[in-house]
Amino acid sequence: MKREALVARNLRLGAARHRLSARQRLRRLLLNGASLFPVAPARTSVRQRILLLRPDHLGDALLTLPAIDALRASFPDAELAALASPAATAILGHLPALKSVETLDFPGLDRSERSASSSPWRLALRLSRRLRRQQFTSALVLRPDHWWGALVIWLAGIPQRVGYATSETRPFLTTALPLQHEHALLRNLRLASELTGVPLDPEANLRFPLADEDRVKARSTLDAAGLAGSGRFLCIHPGTGARVKHWLPSHWARVADTLGRSFDARVVFSGSAAEQSLVQEIIVQMTTSGLDLAGKTELGELAACYERAIMVLGPDSGPLHLAAAVGTPTVSLYGPADPVEFGPWGPAGKHDLLTSPIACRPCRILDWGEDDLAWHPCLADITVEQVVDAAHSLQDRHNR
């Protein structure tokens, strides 16, 4: 298929996927109708208690850290709590600024099978009753389209409910900000600024708090792999949460061989336990040796490994944001996601981002179902030479 025809096809299919289904339209009508019924306000604590809803992924949670810092700076005596997905809890659970972090498999974002007794509506009622007893004074819905979270805090009677003015969340919020095309970190910070009254800082610092014990674990892991002391290494994290964001294993093998030689450095691969087979598929195609840490590090330990690396490379994923959050240079490959919203955050010149020039990108669609991924070449368009050149350029800038 010619390039122009492929782009037209994908734009047409993408528009159809972004169009509301009949079920979604009905849900919107029902939610708007439900919001007209009065809900008794909850009793609130004398002390300010703020609830953060973070229902999504590792990278999303990382990009919330400056907002949490801003809340803590403005409200040093407030109790900050989070209701978070398992992936987000892995980040937020590290933060001393939060008094508590409760983990929840949020409906619609949890792929596990649900029984009829655990329908999202019944879960919303149960959860709202429990939150009502906790006497929160304010709540922030950090995912702009998270109507279920907005519904829950409305049912809980939390007096101040702040989020974004998307169609299904707006009816349940006391403050609904217009959604702008900007970085997710700034979106989170904008919600915090609405509470604090302090203008957001467009140059806000993103730092993941590393514990000494994580650095000790990382040192032990790397020492055991032959990277004792000042051993130089770069990291590649080849996995992501969506197949359409994967680059070819053979490409990663060539990048690893080339950069390992030119930087005189070992190549370390990170990943989850589920990504071990992907890492091994890359390593067996290398002509040099690669170190496999997939599934062998906890989050804090992984962050400490990244902190010691000369750079981290990979497709758009939470671990690449983690590398940026510990101050390590990154080269990231972006396909369907919008880099304006989800690109790496950090000082200019410290992170290089590669994309395809194909006109249907960014489609913001991470699951194309049964459609052949060959029709979606936004990652395949990126060449080995581009990644190698970006890494060399980044290293040259970083060494100045």
Side-chain angles (χ1 to χ4, degrees), residues 45-100:
S45 169
V46 174
R47 188 177 188 180
Q48 191 172 23
R49 304 195 73 227
I50 303 171
L51 176 66
L52 309 177
L53 270 66
R54 186 78 269 177
D56 27 30
H57 310 295
L58 182 74
D60 302 294
L62 279 162
L63 298 175
T64 307
L65 301 188
I68 294 171
D69 291 340
L71 291 170
R72 175 51 69 217
S74 291
F75 306 127
D77 298 323
E79 291 184 2
L80 305 183
L83 186 62
S85 68
T89 298
I91 293 294
L92 301 183
H94 282 259
L95 306 183
L98 296 178
K99 179 178 175 61
S100 64

Side-chain angles (χ1 to χ4, degrees), residues 19 68 91 123 136 180 186 200 220 231 304 310 321 323 360 364:
R19 200 174 298 131
I68 294 171
I91 293 294
L123 180 59
F136 287 105
Q180 303 181 38
L186 295 178
L200 65 82
S220 175
I310 59 176
H321 288 295
C360 52
R364 300 177 179 84

Side-chain angles (χ1 to χ4, degrees), residues 122-136:
R122 292 178 183 175
L123 180 59
L125 288 172
R126 289 200 304 270
L127 178 59
S128 64
R129 286 194 291 265
R130 184 154 52 82
L131 293 179
R132 180 177 286 268
R133 293 193 295 270
Q134 295 180 41
Q135 301 184 345
F136 287 105

Side-chain angles (χ1 to χ4, degrees), residues 350-373:
K350 196 161 189 176
H351 305 286
D352 271 4
L353 187 152
L354 299 173
T355 63
S356 163
I358 193 168
C360 52
R361 190 208 64 79
C363 64
R364 300 177 179 84
I365 297 172
L366 302 185
D367 183 2
W368 281 97
E370 298 302 315
D371 202 31
D372 190 340
L373 293 185

Side-chain angles (χ1 to χ4, degrees), residues 8-280:
R9 170 195 185 272
N10 288 346
L11 288 173
R12 184 177 66 253
L13 292 179
R17 282 179 173 268
H18 285 299
R19 200 174 298 131
L20 290 179
S21 66
R23 180 177 179 179
Q24 289 170 322
R25 291 196 297 271
L26 175 60
R27 183 183 67 199
R28 180 176 291 182
L29 287 172
L30 292 174
L31 290 170
N32 282 319
S35 70
L36 300 176
F37 287 88
V39 170
R43 291 180 57 191
T44 57
S45 169
V46 174
R47 188 177 188 180
Q48 191 172 23
R49 304 195 73 227
I50 303 171
L51 176 66
L52 309 177
L53 270 66
R54 186 78 269 177
D56 27 30
H57 310 295
L58 182 74
D60 302 294
L62 279 162
L63 298 175
T64 307
L65 301 188
I68 294 171
D69 291 340
L71 291 170
R72 175 51 69 217
S74 291
F75 306 127
D77 298 323
E79 291 184 2
L80 305 183
L83 186 62
S85 68
T89 298
I91 293 294
L92 301 183
H94 282 259
L95 306 183
L98 296 178
K99 179 178 175 61
S100 64
V101 179
E102 180 180 346
T103 304
L104 178 71
D105 287 320
F106 286 83
L109 295 168
D110 171 31
R111 296 187 178 92
S112 63
E113 293 293 327
R114 291 188 172 276
S115 65
S117 62
S118 62
S119 76
W121 311 108
R122 292 178 183 175
L123 180 59
L125 288 172
R126 289 200 304 270
L127 178 59
S128 64
R129 286 194 291 265
R130 184 154 52 82
L131 293 179
R132 180 177 286 268
R133 293 193 295 270
Q134 295 180 41
Q135 301 184 345
F136 287 105
T137 55
S138 308
L140 300 184
V141 182
L142 292 161
R143 183 180 174 99
D145 62 352
H146 197 232
W147 62 267
W148 189 85
L151 169 68
V152 166
I153 60 174
W154 172 73
L155 289 170
I158 297 174
Q160 189 174 23
R161 306 179 298 277
V162 182
Y164 280 101
T166 55
S167 298
E168 292 178 338
T169 58
R170 184 192 298 113
F172 302 110
L173 302 172
T174 57
T175 302
L177 304 182
L179 186 61
Q180 303 181 38
H181 186 216
E182 62 183 349
H183 200 280
L185 183 145
L186 295 178
R187 285 180 184 166
N188 296 326
L189 202 51
R190 199 172 295 281
L191 295 180
S193 294
E194 186 65 26
L195 277 189
T196 65
V198 178
L200 65 82
D201 176 8
E203 304 297 327
N205 189 33
L206 172 62
R207 292 297 294 174
F208 177 74
L210 272 170
D212 289 341
E213 63 187 68
D214 290 325
R215 290 189 172 99
V216 170
K217 288 179 182 177
R219 189 180 305 116
S220 175
T221 298
L222 294 170
D223 286 353
L227 287 168
S230 59
R232 283 168 54 84
F233 67 96
L234 60 94
C235 283
I236 294 177
H237 185 95
T240 76
R243 287 192 310 125
V244 72
K245 297 197 292 183
H246 279 186
W247 207 40
L248 284 175
S250 59
H251 285 10
W252 282 125
R254 288 171 58 197
V255 166
D257 285 334
T258 304
L259 295 183
R261 292 190 192 99
S262 60
F263 291 161
D264 189 24
R266 291 285 301 279
V267 180
V268 174
F269 290 89
S270 60
S272 67
E275 292 164 343
Q276 287 176 326
S277 59
L278 171 62
V279 168
Q280 281 301 311

